[in-house]
Amino acid sequence: MTGSLTVVGTGPGKPELMTPATQAAIAQASDLVGYGPYLDRLPAARADQCRHASDNRVELDRARQALSLAASGRNVVVVSGGDPGVFAMAAAVFEAVEGGDPAWCGLDIRVEPGVTAMLAAAAEVGAPLGGDFCAISLSDNLKSWTTIERRLKAAAEADFVIALYNPASKARPHQLARAFDLLRSVKAAETLVLFVRAAGTAEARVVAAPLATADASVADMRTLVIIGASTTRQVGRWIYTPRSERGSVS
Amino acid sequence: MTGSLTVVGTGPGKPELMTPATQAAIAQASDLVGYGPYLDRLPAARADQCRHASDNRVELDRARQALSLAASGRNVVVVSGGDPGVFAMAAAVFEAVEGGDPAWCGLDIRVEPGVTAMLAAAAEVGAPLGGDFCAISLSDNLKSWTTIERRLKAAAEADFVIALYNPASKARPHQLARAFDLLRSVKAAETLVLFVRAAGTAEARVVAAPLATADASVADMRTLVIIGASTTRQVGRWIYTPRSERGSVS
């Protein structure tokens, strides 16, 4: 088979945060497959380039469509936001390969890394991911809430900085509040919580609050939430986590 | 004060993985401050651009130098590899601000996000970071080994994918083997371990092994180690972590 499939991420939003490697992959594609709003971010298509826009939450269907196109000889690019390997399309593509036509294993499939949302969110406020950290998706579409709570508790007890992806959606309005309740039982009341909306775009907006009073309703689908470690602190207008666990400046 | 300081990351190595925003910041700088090998990756300087190369492991000195230059009115860019907020220079800059001249709080300090090593490493093999994951630096220069072990154990017990930065250096040859020993006491013998060397460069090389027999001496300073979750698996030539905790493909 001569087709190919490349999974890319457009980064957090601004074109200046999309890597040149991803720009080149998109420019060379015969077919672009992705969630409509991500495709809309891209520059105008060449006349001979096909765009296949789909709705949100149909990742496996989208992945199968892309694999079928590649198997038919097309040079397909699957377009995610952020980094395609972090709570995005790359895993869905390999799930589709595993469950699909055995011939798909022979395709030329590549992943291009990108700037994932937590890195853009961190950069908006300083360096809150300066120590060990973890990334957890609060969506329980594909895993149980029990698993999410177990991971939140483990991360809090081991004093990781915690980045929460998918903190809220219309279908899941109450989960972030439940996560905060759990975290309050483990972490200090003054732990810094950052709500970073539309990070890496011209509309970026940051709200910081102590965990004790952090209001989960501040978060929406475009928000990345960062919960500090015990050492995460403010200096001037910035928030950062020192590299040292004691937070001492030597 | 009219000077500025921007902390950037060059990405994992290839120029095509450096964001246009970072390229622009570097092009506009009057002064570039960084570890020599990172500065060497950059295109040739303008005649009026000063480069201040320093050795490794003098991050705070380098940060103070950059802040002093900015305070004197220069437009300074501090150059890290990867993303500057992940085990790199951004936290060191804010540590230096906190412990330094109070006037530094008035400076225009920004952070530009980049592609951090674990994203490039993951892209080389497929999508191993497809589920919840954490990032831990194995360096105990700035935190205790006890803390590192506590975090490894918590991450393993809660079934996070684990990305290990700084797995080994000449000064710390034995820590990765100790980490593997600890992880073997918690995780299944067949858990996939990925050693990704020089990810995001033309010399990228991947070694995969089950945790039971993974050989820590495979890793060096340029290696990023990823330890899979219980669901991380191989399909065709790729390794990925399904989005679902059960790993089922529906």
Side-chain angles (χ1 to χ4, degrees):
Chain A
M1 283 185 280
T2 57
S4 66
L5 192 159
T6 306
V7 197
V8 306
T10 59
K14 280 194 291 205
E16 306 93 285
L17 293 178
M18 194 190 307
T19 69
T22 291
Q23 292 174 30
I26 289 169
Q28 289 155 20
S30 64
D31 295 75
L32 298 174
V33 175
Y35 175 45
Y38 293 142
L39 294 185
D40 293 342
R41 286 186 194 170
L42 305 179
R46 301 192 318 261
D48 63 338
Q49 194 175 50
C50 300
R51 294 193 176 204
H52 309 265
S54 54
D55 285 341
N56 205 353
R57 296 185 60 178
V58 290
E59 290 87 355
L60 266 183
D61 292 340
R62 194 186 299 145
R64 292 188 191 109
Q65 179 188 22
L67 287 158
S68 294
L69 284 164
S72 75
R74 310 285 294 175
N75 294 308
V76 182
V77 167
V78 174
V79 180
S80 279
D83 174 281
V86 176
F87 308 123
M89 281 300 296
V93 165
F94 294 112
E95 285 172 32
V97 170
E98 187 171 355
D101 185 338
W104 288 350
C105 277
L107 285 169
D108 176 14
I109 303 177
R110 292 159 203 253
V111 179
E112 278 294 343
V115 175
T116 184
M118 69 179 159
L119 303 181
E124 295 284 356
V125 299
L129 304 179
D132 298 328
F133 62 91
C134 60
I136 300 174
S137 169
L138 275 199
S139 169
D140 61 355
N141 290 336
L142 291 157
K143 64 190 168 192
S144 71
W145 183 252
T146 305
T147 294
I148 294 170
E149 287 200 329
R150 181 165 63 110
R151 290 181 181 160
L152 285 169
K153 189 158 182 287
E157 287 175 346
D159 204 20
F160 282 97
V161 179
I162 303 171
L164 296 179
Y165 283 71
N166 305 314
S169 73
K170 280 177 192 160
R172 300 179 293 100
H174 305 302
Q175 297 183 333
L176 185 59
R178 290 174 66 184
F180 283 173
D181 283 345
L182 183 153
L183 293 170
R184 286 184 190 113
S185 72
V186 180
K187 295 176 75 84
E190 64 271 22
T191 303
L192 277 169
V193 176
L194 305 168
F195 300 87
V196 190
R197 187 171 194 279
T201 77
E203 301 89 44
R205 198 186 65 197
V206 177
V207 173
L211 179 58
T213 59
D215 174 7
S217 72
V218 169
D220 67 6
M221 284 178 64
R222 295 188 69 194
T223 306
L224 194 292
V225 177
I226 297 176
I227 294 125
S230 60
T231 52
T232 305
R233 67 189 65 197
Q234 182 156 9
V235 55
R237 308 185 295 286
W238 306 283
I239 288 164
Y240 83 105
T241 304
R243 301 162 304 155
S244 160
E245 64 183 322
R246 287 169 299 281
S248 63
V249 176
S250 57
Chain B
M1 282 185 281
T2 57
S4 66
L5 192 159
T6 306
V7 196
V8 307
T10 59
K14 280 196 291 208
E16 306 93 285
L17 293 178
M18 194 190 308
T19 69
T22 290
Q23 292 174 28
I26 289 169
Q28 289 155 20
S30 66
D31 296 75
L32 298 174
V33 175
Y35 174 45
Y38 294 142
L39 294 184
D40 292 342
R41 285 186 195 170
L42 305 179
R46 301 192 318 262
D48 63 339
Q49 195 175 48
C50 300
R51 295 195 175 205
H52 310 266
S54 53
D55 285 340
N56 206 352
R57 297 185 60 176
V58 289
E59 290 88 355
L60 266 183
D61 292 341
R62 193 185 301 145
R64 291 189 191 108
Q65 179 188 22
L67 287 159
S68 295
L69 284 163
S72 75
R74 310 286 293 177
N75 294 309
V76 182
V77 167
V78 174
V79 181
S80 277
D83 174 280
V86 175
F87 308 123
M89 281 301 295
V93 165
F94 295 112
E95 286 172 32
V97 170
E98 187 171 356
D101 184 338
W104 289 350
C105 278
L107 285 168
D108 175 13
I109 303 177
R110 291 159 202 255
V111 178
E112 278 293 343
V115 175
T116 184
M118 69 179 159
L119 303 182
E124 296 283 356
V125 299
L129 303 180
D132 299 328
F133 62 92
C134 62
I136 300 175
S137 169
L138 275 199
S139 169
D140 62 353
N141 290 336
L142 292 157
K143 65 189 169 193
S144 71
W145 184 251
T146 306
T147 294
I148 293 170
E149 287 200 328
R150 181 165 63 109
R151 291 182 180 160
L152 286 169
K153 190 159 181 286
E157 288 175 346
D159 204 21
F160 282 97
V161 179
I162 303 172
L164 295 179
Y165 282 72
N166 305 314
S169 74
K170 281 178 190 158
R172 300 179 293 101
H174 305 302
Q175 296 183 333
L176 184 59
R178 290 175 64 185
F180 284 171
D181 283 345
L182 183 152
L183 293 171
R184 286 184 190 114
S185 72
V186 181
K187 295 176 76 83
E190 64 271 22
T191 303
L192 277 169
V193 177
L194 306 167
F195 299 87
V196 189
R197 187 169 193 280
T201 77
E203 301 89 45
R205 198 186 64 198
V206 177
V207 173
L211 179 59
T213 57
D215 174 6
S217 72
V218 169
D220 67 5
M221 283 178 65
R222 296 189 68 195
T223 306
L224 193 293
V225 177
I226 296 176
I227 294 125
S230 60
T231 52
T232 305
R233 66 187 67 194
Q234 183 156 7
V235 56
R237 308 185 295 286
W238 306 282
I239 288 165
Y240 84 105
T241 303
R243 301 163 304 155
S244 160
E245 65 183 322
R246 287 169 299 281
S248 63
V249 176
S250 58

